[in-house]
Amino acid sequence: KCTQCQIIFMIPNEQMVILQIISQRQLIKKSELFRTAKEKLNAPIEDNLISLKNSGYIDILTPLGETSFAITQRGMRVLSGRIEAV
């Protein structure tokens, strides 16, 4: 198997904006994320969060019962422009 072979995973701009917001805090409460994202996006936030979660770019956490979001290592690689290995 070629260790140099790689593939680029493209994600929509709205999802990149959400990833950037989450990455600035590493862990962000749902209410804070929605408030910040609402100022920057005109797209449905919930649908984009589901896609990001399903792609492995974010994790959903519930510390002390409050839903929060954290960016994963895979999400950080996408933001940094590094190409993910096949």
Side-chain angles (χ1 to χ4, degrees):
K1 181 177 177 181
C2 175
T3 58
Q4 300 300 318
C5 300
Q6 298 178 334
I7 186 169
I8 298 174
F9 291 93
M10 300 297 291
I11 64 172
N13 185 56
E14 295 86 10
Q15 292 179 19
M16 284 297 283
V17 170
I18 292 171
L19 276 179
Q20 289 169 346
I21 293 168
I22 296 171
S23 74
Q24 291 171 354
R25 299 280 301 272
Q26 299 294 317
L27 178 68
I28 188 169
K29 295 176 188 174
K30 183 177 183 177
S31 58
E32 294 174 41
L33 174 61
F34 274 57
R35 185 175 51 250
T36 305
K38 191 174 182 181
E39 296 169 2
K40 297 182 179 190
L41 296 174
N42 291 326
I45 298 166
E46 289 280 351
D47 293 343
N48 285 303
L49 287 172
I50 292 168
S51 293
L52 289 168
K53 170 66 176 146
N54 290 340
S55 297
Y57 298 136
I58 64 170
D59 277 328
I60 301 172
L61 310 168
T62 52
L64 303 174
E66 185 169 0
T67 301
S68 298
F69 301 92
I71 191 164
T72 62
Q73 287 183 359
R74 185 175 184 182
M76 292 299 290
R77 284 194 299 268
V78 167
L79 277 182
S80 69
R82 285 185 275 171
I83 300 170
E84 296 192 341
V86 173

